[in-house]
Amino acid sequence: MKKPLKLTVNGEPREFFVEPYFSLLDALRDELHLTGTKKGCDEGDCGACTVLLDGKPVTSCLVLAHSAHDSQVTTIEGLAGQDGLLHPVQQAFVTHGGLQCGFCTPGLVMSAVGLLQENSDPSVDEVKYAIGGNLCRCTGYSKVIESIMAAAQEIRDGNG
Amino acid sequence: MPEHIALGKSLPRVDAMEKITGKATYASDVYLPGMLMCKLLTSTESHARIVRLDTTRAEALPGVRAVITGNDYPDIRFGSGALRDRRIMATDEVFYIGEAVAAVAADDEITAQEAVELIDVEYQPLPVVVDPLQAIRDDAVPVHEDLESFEGYGFAGGGNNCTLLDADRGDVVQAFQDADQTIEETYQSQPINQGFLEPMACVANVEPNGRLTVWASTQGPYQVRAQLASVLDIPLSRIKVIAMELGGGFGAKLRLAFEAFPAMLAMKSGRPVKLINTREEAFTLNGPRLETNIRLKTGVMNDGRIVAREAYSIFDVGAYLGAGPNAGVGHALGPYKIPNFKLRSYGVYTNKIYVGSYRASGVADMTFAVESHMDSVAHQLGIDPLDFRSMNAVEEGDISVSGARLPRNGLRETLQAVKDRLGLPKKMGEARGLGIAMGEWRSGSGPSTAAISVNEDGTISMLTGSVDISGSDTSMAQIAAETLGVTLDQVVVPKRDTDMAPFTGPSGGSRIVYSQGKAVQMAAEDARNKLMALASDRLGVPPDALACENGKVYVQDNTPQELTLAQLARMSLTSPQGPIVGNASLSSMPFAPVYNTQAAEVLVDRETGRVTLTRFVQAQDVGVAINPMSVVGQLEGGAVQGIGRALSEELQIDSETGRVLNPSLATYLMPLAVDMPEIETILINVPTDDGPFGARAVAEPPGFGPPAAIANAIYDAVGVRIKELPFTAERVLAAIKGQQPKAGFIDIEALLSGENPLV
Ligand code: FES
Ligand code: FES
């Protein structure tokens, strides 16, 4: 039996019905059709489903949808500004080749945004640690790290 | 140097915006009204007869709309190669744990799963063979008793040998007799998974007009269409395959995977049906790589010349021949001149998940063996391994194993670049070592087509049938832009399907930019010629007085006469020749192999055996980099896959049952960001004669060298040669302690000698 769930998703209050056993990931994808958040494993191992829950990166496949009741959720769809301007992390991934197939990308971007909100001057090792739960099979990570470092610079320069 | 408008620029991908905003649509993102969810029942037996398969209880469950078994399909065998050895779904027999036995379509996933558990299946176990070195023996239990009746079976090897490839040249026996020294070694590579982040997914629907539409996660939409037509026994023209955004394939998504299951369920239920692999299924249902055993024997002269090579390779193909053991012959020499050789490569059935393709994985297996062996031989001769490679390396004009003449290439330049970057030879510290490896790839080819039209606003539409992998759409659009003298943002790259775009080969084998890109270049040239002809007519000057650049065609002598592409496109609508469309088709491209050199520096912990990769440098001849950022990205990603193969990745297989023991991303250990040093990549530019603007294939080779480079570095560090992949701490520690690795005992010749008819 679906039960009502209240969430603020990308700044917009949403009330909808969700099965009690649904993960936050399934609720976002199947009920809200926010398919930018990806399911790579459904077991907490790949990071493709990373979203910000009350500002912190979480693997949404491991969060029961109803346990997030009344929370703030930010997904990849909510990062760009109203004017369509990309978030500095998104822009850096585009410019520096941080994405290839793109399936890991939403999760990686959300992990990076979570990191840079806390620390806009991370070391390479801090970046590696922050994306330590995000698998990417295409890039070998070098350009991902380069992108995140470039985004941090942009944010520090006040262009974020 | 002329100014380029698009060529050689590190421009963002044409699909970057949709991917970075989460709007790109992958197959699992397709939601259709009334769509059902599909779940699979898979075999729990390694080899068994299905004595009872009863779906009554499943069908009775509320919410279940259709259930299928193998008997719902026409009685047709198909195959991935020449050999038709499998059915799309098990009928009376299962051949591995994880093989699909039945499928359910229900209103939601949980109901479908519940229904799967209500299917009654009873198996009668049959004899099982798991070890390929047992399976290859004459007296082995046969995986397929009716092997000889399979269409395409042309090799009377007996046992479980489903295919044998061979190549011979010169007088090997004499050459080994004349050689100063002979070195013989055996290597073993491990089973691995492609590790694509996007699980396989598919939606199928029967349209009101009776045609079948399939939204697929595939590298080869035309191949899926053809194989679907064959297993469903319906005309190919009744199927439309829409290749969705591809979340990584690396060869795993080259062929029909499970699209026939939702297709059949859609036909049976009259509703759209979606199937998404669980991550576990991505490890157990189809198409990883299994172990390869490689025995190499090399005859050398004391001055370092290699005079003879004998190679036996045994590729475990699992239950079906999903991908052949071609590399065992084609890559048994490495990029070296060897005048006398005898090469044999076997494909052997076992009761395990059947193999697929993975970034020329067979070549990676062979490169591990050959390049490790090269170091062993060099050390035995007392010659520096780099010099030994250099003195035996192939050169322009040499004849390859396949008999093709080697064109100009950048092999030596890659070796030199790595040597210079690392300052070789250099002394490494205690427990530190350095190793190198070279790689060779013939370059993918195959049928390629393209159509380029010039729109009334002067933009260009580029139509190809190929699936974007590794940024290939962007590179092709850059090729079109450069040829027509427009900026990349003027090129429209539509999403396409098998109805609207012309046939092309699959996106694999590093063939897209080299081969498909060539078709784009030719089509763009065709369009340009038509633009010039029209402009020549309108401006009253001969075509060779004109240039097509910066969005216009103009007279080269500086007279202010010009027509923009927009003006020409509009004029063409009423010109005798009609609208401007350029076309091109080709079926193959000339042989233009790619070479690379890769080097690893490691630190080995003698107490634990742990190997830490401290530096990785690679140089590859890319011909001309159409988009350097994209090329470097390919080379970095490929190298890291190779590093995973070297250090951590292994599909663990139960030796009794063939079951995959670690079907999860927590237990199948792919490299993480924290594991990787920076990958230093050097691009070498020795253009090809025929590739677009001189470009070469790119994506396969970077995965080849890391295992051997790291093995050679470990040897350099601690003096032990590890001949089995991966180099786990446990295995390295055992070797340091002098315990013989398993691969050291494999005697392939003994297996293949005596009464065995294989030799
Ligand atoms: S889908 Fe959530 S971690 Fe993989
Ligand atoms: S870009 Fe493909 S998995 Fe990261």
Side-chain angles (χ1 to χ4, degrees), chain B residues 484-497:
Chain B
L484 284 158
V486 299
T487 49
L488 179 62
D489 60 1
Q490 297 297 296
V491 183
V492 179
V493 186
K495 302 286 170 202
R496 54 269 188 191
D497 59 56

Side-chain angles (χ1 to χ4, degrees), chain A residues 25 38-50 59-62 133, chain B residues 197 665:
Chain A
L25 173 62
K38 298 300 178 203
K39 187 188 281 191
C41 68
D42 215 16
E43 298 171 331
D45 298 330
C46 76
C49 65
T50 306
T59 43
S60 61
C61 69
L62 291 187
Chain B
L197 254 273
L665 294 172

Side-chain angles (χ1 to χ4, degrees), chain B residues 316-329:
Chain B
D316 184 350
V317 303
Y320 307 112
L321 184 60
N326 310 31
V329 165

Side-chain angles (χ1 to χ4, degrees), chain A residues 98-105 108 135-139 144, chain B residues 196-197 247-248 250:
Chain A
L99 75 154
Q100 289 187 25
C101 81
F103 201 80
C104 69
T105 308
L108 268 168
L135 279 169
C136 173
R137 192 58 156 172
C138 301
T139 64
V144 169
Chain B
F196 42 82
L197 254 273
F250 312 112

Side-chain angles (χ1 to χ4, degrees), chain B residues 3-23:
Chain B
E3 259 297 296
H4 291 298
I5 194 161
L7 182 70
K9 294 193 191 293
S10 289
L11 300 168
R13 303 169 60 104
V14 293
D15 57 2
M17 279 308 280
E18 62 205 72
K19 282 185 171 168
I20 202 65
T21 52
K23 294 194 183 106

